[in-house]
Amino acid sequence: MVLTLALLAAIALVWCLTAIVEKIRHGLSTAQAVLYAPFKLAYRISDARIGIARGAQAPVIYVVSHQSRLDPALTLSLLPDDTLHILDPVSAKSVWLEPWRELARTIAFNAEHVFVSRRLVRVLKGRGRLAVYIPEAVEPDIRSFRLYRAVIRIAMQADARIVPIFIGGAQALPFQMDGKAPAPRRWFPRLSVSVLEPMTAPELVARNGSPAASNANALFDRMAEARLATTEPDLTLFQAVRDAAELFGPGRVVVEDATGSRLSYRTLLAGARILGTRFAKLAKPGEAVGVMLPNTSGAVLSLLGLASAGQVAALVNYTSGPANVTAALRTAAIHTVISSRVFVEKAGLADVVQAVEAAGAKLLWLEDLQAGISGLDKAAAALLWRYPLHRQKAEKPAVILFTSGSEGAPKAAVLSHRNLIANAMQAEARVTITTSDIALNVLPMFHSFGLTAGTILPLVTGMRLFLYPSPLHYKLIPEVARRLKPTVMFGTDTFLAQYARTASDGDFSSLRFVVAGAEAVKPETRRVWRERFHTAIIEGYGLTEAAPVAAVNTAIHNREGTVGRLLPGMRMRIEPVEGVAEGGRLFLSGPNVMLGYMTAERPGELQPLADGWQDTGDIVKVDREGFITITGRAARFAKIAGEMVSLGAIEMLVQSLWPEERHAVVAVPDRRRGERIVLVTTATQADATSLRRLGKQAGIAELAVPGDIVKVAEIPVLGSGKTDYVATRDLAVERLNAGSAA
């Protein structure tokens, strides 16, 4: 009895002391502090930014992303007590919530009428405060999205500031709004209260320099930024995967590959630690180590092993040819390359191995490393799998990726741990992902899309990831999909079109959606996948320098012919381009934009971005709702008789004429006009007369219509699936010189 009383007294003392501290820290009322204290203790709440909400000048609307039944209790405890809270019907009547409802004024939520009520506008105009709870959804339905429109309309009528609030970690609570937790349920997860700075509706809309932008979209984007702000900014790649292991369960199988390997989070991180101990003996922390492996569990283990050892993984594009491999290794000052004898033999990469050695790098074979693993190594890794071998800061380099080289020599882009994790979380804040999803990734990790979207995103969000070693196995990949039944897939238009040609109708029927990037998705590809597999292709946009995803379409924000809208946390700037009447050259900034380049002139030396803005080299136009349309590449404009001509636009025109074939439009030197446009195509029926007729119908100047046609069996492509315009141009010049053009 005495022990019980002592325990109760200790609990009461801790409760009281916590309430006193929180009352002083945040200026809470006594009742608020007393009712907030148990939450603070149970959920170790990070609440440093709540002062922004409490200090916001009225009139103000607090927009709370409503995930769990605990959210109203928390916000009633923390927001100023003169706030009017609009609660959902369950919270408005819940018996257990009664003590918290006494802390401030509350009214019941009425989805049909409450937001059109003049009463709310009058409350705000009287220097009032309003808390609105919007159901949390990465891709809200039409009814939920109407709430964004209503809130922004009231804010504009009352000239009120908007403060977004998101409670990070609440998605793991068992008290979900719909009764279903998107992650494994945990009774006492650590919570963090994300609060963004107050902004008026016009300020929200004008942030990207587009005063005509959609108001509702501006608020939706701001709420996505609040969600993103709960991501721990100081996590390295290894730590982010470890945190995912603790959230989703160490025993959860997370990586599988075509060899039959199946790795749980615990096995994956333990294996990475073992490899990391070997890597640490061969290179210093911060040093770049090459990785030349296909999509297998060994590649993921090597990536995380290097992250554990504090080294930088330089992902070598072994499909780019010996000369490019040699140049890449020298540019990044790489002295060691991790590879596999079995892979090199099966892929026929003897010439690439010679290129690695010619660059002065030593090959480290995974087979040799695995053979030297002892029982003691395994035991130590099993105990210490949660801990990296070397402490490293998130802002330090994590990977080096080499740009595709589709229009010139590849460049070495250096991405930090923060860049990679931020980009994965930006995508997770925009596209609905659950732990029941199965991701099929056929894109190689040396391709930034295959690395971040296809590998890191599943690892940190709990998706089951299946890695297939090559995207070029057009007949085998549909069979894999039929057996695996993936729900999410990543690809490029080139690869998706090829899979559709060889697949049976039911092979991809399990897919919820396909995320496509790297090149424009052709209408024909989209149509085939929709009609045959009942699968939507979600088109996005990215570049290696942005880790790579910068914009994406979603279920509710989807406009065919565009690459979607910017990810949360990103900003864009559009600069005028000579000869381009609408739109301009796109510049990007954000947490996912790279640290800088390494160049052949200054090998191994990071050259940071001067002002944090990345020149994408893309010519774009943006509509009032923020959808981005790529109209061309700055490097893919030709100057014909003094006129600027977009080769990309001509390519799309040709595609509409022969949609089932593949085409590439290039410019070659011309003595009279400076340059002339050539069509390289797989369409055997292509003829100049049809092109001229189509150009005339489209209102395109005759000088912009290709006068020469080069017919080929296949258009040259890179390992990433992009058209290889350098090789295509060389092919066109060769055929023209030989007199074999049409």
Side-chain angles (χ1 to χ4, degrees):
M1 184 66 179
V2 175
L3 183 61
T4 302
L5 290 174
L7 180 60
L8 291 173
I11 292 173
L13 179 61
V14 172
W15 189 332
C16 290
L17 289 175
T18 302
I20 292 170
V21 170
E22 296 308 309
K23 176 180 173 65
I24 296 171
R25 283 182 66 226
H26 299 306
L28 307 179
S29 70
T30 300
Q32 283 182 313
V34 169
L35 290 175
Y36 176 58
F39 291 127
K40 178 72 174 183
L41 293 169
Y43 299 109
R44 293 93 66 207
I45 300 175
S46 173
D47 54 14
R49 294 185 63 85
I50 197 63
I52 296 173
R54 292 186 63 83
Q57 185 178 349
V60 63
I61 302 177
Y62 303 108
V63 184
V64 183
S65 193
H66 199 178
Q67 303 172 81
S68 80
R69 295 295 176 194
L70 290 185
D71 296 346
L74 282 172
T75 50
L76 281 161
S77 300
L78 288 170
L79 294 178
D81 54 14
D82 61 346
T83 303
L84 173 62
H85 293 254
I86 303 177
L87 302 180
D88 64 278
V90 174
S91 298
K93 298 176 182 179
S94 178
V95 175
W96 77 267
L97 195 59
E98 183 61 31
W100 284 269
R101 285 200 300 268
E102 293 298 318
L103 296 175
R105 294 178 298 157
T106 63
I107 60 174
F109 175 89
N110 186 322
E112 300 300 328
H113 304 295
V114 71
F115 286 121
V116 297
S117 171
R118 295 180 180 178
R119 174 189 171 189
L120 298 180
V121 176
R122 287 198 300 270
V123 167
L124 290 169
K125 285 187 174 181
R127 309 292 294 172
R129 299 173 185 272
L130 186 68
V132 178
Y133 297 80
I134 293 185
E136 162 60 15
V138 173
E139 299 180 76
D141 56 25
I142 294 174
R143 179 172 179 172
S144 295
F145 199 73
R146 280 204 295 261
L147 300 181
Y148 289 94
R149 296 191 182 97
V151 170
I152 201 83
R153 184 171 60 248
I154 286 179
M156 295 186 76
Q157 290 175 355
D159 194 24
R161 293 169 177 81
I162 294 174
V163 176
I165 299 176
F166 186 92
I167 301 172
Q171 65 268 29
L173 287 167
F175 321 109
Q176 295 299 299
M177 289 289 294
D178 59 1
K180 299 177 182 178
R185 299 185 181 198
R186 299 168 64 192
W187 283 100
F188 299 106
R190 188 179 183 90
L191 302 182
S192 62
V193 181
S194 169
V195 181
L196 299 188
E197 299 291 339
M199 296 183 74
T200 64
E203 287 172 341
L204 283 177
V205 172
R207 283 186 306 159
N208 265 330
S210 178
S214 164
N215 297 337
N217 283 344
L219 177 57
F220 176 72
D221 292 343
R222 186 66 168 165
M223 294 304 296
E225 289 179 13
R227 177 191 180 100
L228 183 64
T230 62
T231 302
E232 171 58 55
D234 296 322
L235 289 179
T236 63
L237 179 56
F238 185 94
Q239 292 168 332
V241 177
R242 178 205 60 199
D243 285 1
E246 294 179 347
L247 176 61
F248 304 115
R252 177 180 176 81
V253 173
V254 66
V255 176
E256 301 178 59
D257 66 22
T259 69
S261 173
R262 301 176 79 248
L263 300 179
S264 67
Y265 273 116
R266 182 189 290 109
T267 307
L268 175 65
L269 291 170
R273 184 180 175 89
I274 291 173
L275 285 181
T277 58
R278 303 300 191 272
F279 299 155
K281 296 176 182 178
L282 299 168
K284 299 176 182 178
E287 188 174 332
V289 176
V291 178
M292 193 172 74
L293 292 167
N295 274 10
T296 60
S297 57
V300 181
L301 286 165
S302 298
L303 179 67
L304 293 177
L306 291 169
S308 176
Q311 292 154 356
V312 183
L315 301 170
V316 179
N317 182 353
Y318 45 81
T319 69
S320 63
N324 278 337
V325 169
T326 300
L329 298 184
R330 287 175 176 166
T331 296
I334 297 169
H335 305 298
T336 304
V337 176
I338 302 164
S339 192
S340 160
R341 288 193 181 92
V342 173
F343 165 59
V344 166
E345 182 179 346
K346 285 186 176 181
L349 297 178
D351 56 342
V352 175
V353 169
Q354 292 176 358
V356 170
E357 293 171 342
K362 176 184 177 183
L363 279 156
L364 182 65
W365 304 108
L366 278 183
E367 290 87 349
D368 296 342
L369 294 177
Q370 292 168 347
I373 297 173
S374 66
L376 183 60
D377 293 330
K378 294 179 181 178
L383 290 172
L384 302 172
W385 63 270
R386 289 182 173 86
Y387 307 102
L389 293 164
H390 179 81
R391 285 188 173 275
Q392 194 171 17
K393 295 181 179 179
E395 64 268 20
K396 294 293 183 182
V399 300
I400 298 173
L401 294 172
F402 300 94
T403 59
S404 65
S406 59
E407 297 156 5
K411 294 177 286 188
V414 182
L415 296 161
S416 69
H417 294 272
R418 183 172 293 160
N419 292 152
L420 296 173
I421 302 306
N423 199 223
M425 292 298 97
Q426 286 171 313
E428 192 256 356
R430 189 50 62 83
V431 179
T432 302
I433 293 169
T434 71
T435 53
S436 60
D437 278 316
I438 301 173
L440 172 59
N441 180 27
V442 301
L443 297 177
M445 291 184 203
F446 62 69
H447 184 277
S448 55
F449 190 28
L451 174 66
T452 304
T455 305
I456 295 174
L457 176 62
L459 290 177
V460 300
T461 58
M463 280 195 287
R464 180 176 150 204
L465 170 63
F466 188 92
L467 294 167
Y468 192 80
S470 172
L472 301 177
H473 296 171
Y474 300 134
K475 294 182 179 179
L476 296 179
I477 288 171
E479 296 176 9
V480 171
R482 183 170 62 248
R483 184 180 71 254
L484 180 67
K485 299 188 183 308
T487 59
V488 180
M489 184 175 171
F490 307 93
T492 68
D493 178 81
T494 298
F495 294 147
L496 296 176
Q498 292 287 3
Y499 304 150
R501 288 191 179 99
T502 60
S504 299
D505 288 350
D507 287 351
F508 295 107
S509 60
S510 61
L511 289 168
R512 289 200 298 122
F513 58 84
V514 176
V515 183
E519 59 180 344
V521 177
K522 297 178 179 60
E524 179 67 10
T525 306
R526 199 187 302 275
R527 182 191 66 78
V528 168
W529 277 75
R530 184 189 296 121
E531 294 179 359
R532 291 191 57 202
F533 312 125
H534 308 289
T535 297
I537 295 179
I538 295 176
E539 187 171 1
Y541 163 73
L543 57 157
T544 302
E545 294 87 346
V549 188
V552 70
N553 280 288
T554 68
I556 64 160
H557 289 100
N558 191 1
R559 188 158 296 171
E560 289 190 12
T562 76
V563 293
R565 302 169 63 250
L566 276 189
L567 294 183
M570 297 203 74
R571 298 289 175 267
M572 63 179 167
R573 185 178 84 226
I574 297 176
E575 296 191 353
V577 174
E578 178 191 358
V580 177
E582 186 179 2
R585 189 167 183 140
L586 177 65
F587 289 76
L588 294 173
S589 71
N592 52 317
V593 173
M594 69 170 185
L595 297 177
Y597 286 118
M598 288 181 180
T599 62
E601 293 75 24
R602 295 157 68 180
E605 181 180 339
L606 175 63
Q607 299 171 40
L609 292 177
D611 56 1
W613 286 89
Q614 174 63 38
D615 178 4
T616 68
D618 287 307
I619 310 301
V620 307
K621 58 182 180 181
V622 184
D623 68 18
R624 68 177 303 272
E625 293 186 355
F627 286 92
I628 301 169
T629 301
I630 309 295
T631 60
R633 288 280 297 164
R636 298 207 67 233
F637 272 76
K639 201 162 191 176
I640 312 294
E643 295 291 329
M644 296 295 290
V645 177
S646 169
L647 302 180
I650 303 303
E651 208 168 272
M652 287 189 285
L653 183 71
V654 174
Q655 192 69 45
S656 68
L657 187 58
W658 299 293
E660 296 184 359
E661 302 294 336
R662 299 197 62 79
H663 317 280
V665 175
V666 296
V668 300
D670 183 87
R671 291 181 181 177
R672 186 165 59 90
R673 291 181 171 181
E675 288 182 296
R676 59 174 162 157
I677 299 176
V678 179
L679 169 64
V680 181
T681 179
T682 61
T684 56
Q685 72 273 33
D687 64 280
T689 302
S690 298
L691 278 177
R692 285 193 294 270
R693 186 185 306 119
L694 180 64
K696 188 174 182 179
Q697 292 172 354
I700 294 176
E702 187 175 347
L703 59 83
V705 178
D708 297 291
I709 300 175
V710 174
K711 298 177 181 179
V712 296
E714 292 290 339
I715 301 289
V717 296
L718 299 163
S720 62
K722 289 184 179 181
T723 298
D724 187 342
Y725 286 105
V726 175
T728 303
R729 183 178 179 277
D730 291 344
L731 176 61
V733 171
E734 179 184 338
R735 293 285 187 89
L736 290 171
N737 289 339
S740 57

